[in-house]
Amino acid sequence: MLKPYEENVQKIKDEIYSIGQEVVHANKISLAALKENDLSMLKDINLSIKSLSTKSNEVDNLIVKTLALYSPEARDLREMVSFLKITNELLRAGANSKAFVKTFKKSFVDDLDKHAILEYAIPLLKASNQALETAMQLIKETDEKVIETGFQKVSVEESKTDDLYAIIEKNTLKLIAKRIELSKDYFDVLSSLRRLEKTADRAASIANLLLFAHAGGVIEQAK
């Protein structure tokens, strides 16, 4: 391919990586807040979905322009198609992260059994963000074997979030049975933690798209 094409691809990768890092950074602050049991730290999260959407649209426009100008084929075409889908996945991941912060901060009141919630919420958030961070590292990777290994790592972390959320859900229902008057708060906390599981799903989808871009095959249906 021509040098201008390669420059466009590099710019696309850089911009996608930048968007992903904004979400990863927000999740790291959330993780620190849960570990310290200090939700005031969440005020430091400045994750604007409007801003992410604007950046995503700019990347999409560059992708479409690149497709129109250079008509890439085979692997190059798969890569462009994957990038178009990845920007949408990152927007969904960002929306999930922001929704988690908003709902958790509001519903995590003093009357709840905080220790029981945080015992599994912390590893859930850690696994969710590890999945997304690993997926983001694959954006700039070109070695197919490294990407395949990274995809497997993301899949492992995503599977962890499924298991951890199932435990949290079971434990939360037991807590509600003991304190039925707190059922709304417990359910809201559960809803917020569900967002973390969904973020991991988005990470798995991104990793799968990157694997498709380099190795071909079939794009798995995202959850």
Side-chain angles (χ1 to χ4, degrees):
M1 276 289 176
L2 300 175
K3 186 176 180 180
Y5 172 82
E6 295 174 352
E7 291 174 348
N8 277 11
V9 170
Q10 188 59 53
K11 184 176 181 180
I12 290 167
K13 289 183 177 181
D14 290 344
E15 292 300 321
I16 290 176
Y17 182 81
S18 177
I19 292 171
Q21 287 304 111
E22 288 190 47
V23 183
V24 168
H25 179 67
N27 290 341
K28 286 183 176 180
I29 296 176
S30 294
L31 180 58
L34 265 61
K35 284 182 175 179
E36 297 295 328
N37 194 12
D38 181 6
L39 298 194
S40 67
M41 295 172 65
L42 296 176
K43 71 178 186 300
D44 295 330
I45 296 176
N46 184 26
L47 189 62
S48 169
I49 302 304
K50 183 177 180 181
S51 175
L52 291 182
S53 180
T54 298
K55 292 176 182 179
S56 176
N57 287 336
E58 291 173 352
V59 176
D60 287 349
N61 289 336
L62 179 57
I63 293 171
V64 172
K65 180 181 177 181
T66 302
L67 285 169
L69 286 175
Y70 303 104
S71 302
E73 298 179 355
R75 175 174 166 175
D76 294 321
L77 178 58
R78 292 200 307 269
E79 189 173 52
M80 289 295 103
V81 171
S82 296
F83 288 157
L84 273 173
K85 292 179 177 292
I86 286 171
T87 55
N88 181 60
E89 294 291 354
L90 283 175
L91 272 181
R92 294 173 68 184
N96 283 327
S97 295
K98 189 175 181 69
F100 162 73
V101 171
K102 181 179 179 180
T103 306
F104 192 84
K105 183 167 58 175
K106 181 180 178 181
S107 57
F108 197 60
V109 296
D110 289 337
D111 289 339
L112 301 184
D113 188 337
K114 293 187 174 184
H115 174 75
I117 294 171
L118 293 177
E119 181 180 5
Y120 293 101
I122 291 172
L124 171 61
L125 177 49
K126 183 179 180 180
S128 176
N129 203 41
Q130 184 62 50
L132 184 59
E133 190 168 19
T134 301
M136 286 300 94
Q137 291 169 353
L138 299 179
I139 292 290
K140 298 183 179 182
E141 186 56 62
T142 57
D143 189 309
E144 185 178 316
K145 290 184 178 179
V146 174
I147 292 174
E148 186 172 352
T149 298
F151 169 75
Q152 296 299 332
K153 290 180 179 179
V154 172
S155 297
V156 168
E157 296 301 323
E158 189 272 333
S159 180
K160 284 182 186 177
T161 65
D162 288 341
D163 294 339
L164 288 165
Y165 181 78
I167 293 172
I168 292 170
E169 188 175 43
K170 181 179 179 180
N171 289 348
T172 301
L173 291 176
K174 290 180 179 179
L175 292 172
I176 290 173
K178 295 178 181 179
R179 298 288 301 276
I180 192 67
E181 72 277 11
L182 296 174
S183 59
K184 183 181 185 305
D185 292 316
Y186 274 122
F187 275 123
D188 286 345
V189 167
L190 193 60
S191 175
S192 70
L193 296 174
R194 173 71 167 167
R195 295 286 188 166
L196 301 178
E197 184 194 19
K198 289 182 177 295
T199 297
D201 291 341
R202 307 280 60 78
S205 180
I206 290 168
N208 180 61
L209 285 164
L210 291 169
L211 184 61
F212 164 78
H214 288 267
V218 179
I219 301 176
E220 293 183 9
Q221 185 67 37
K223 295 181 181 179

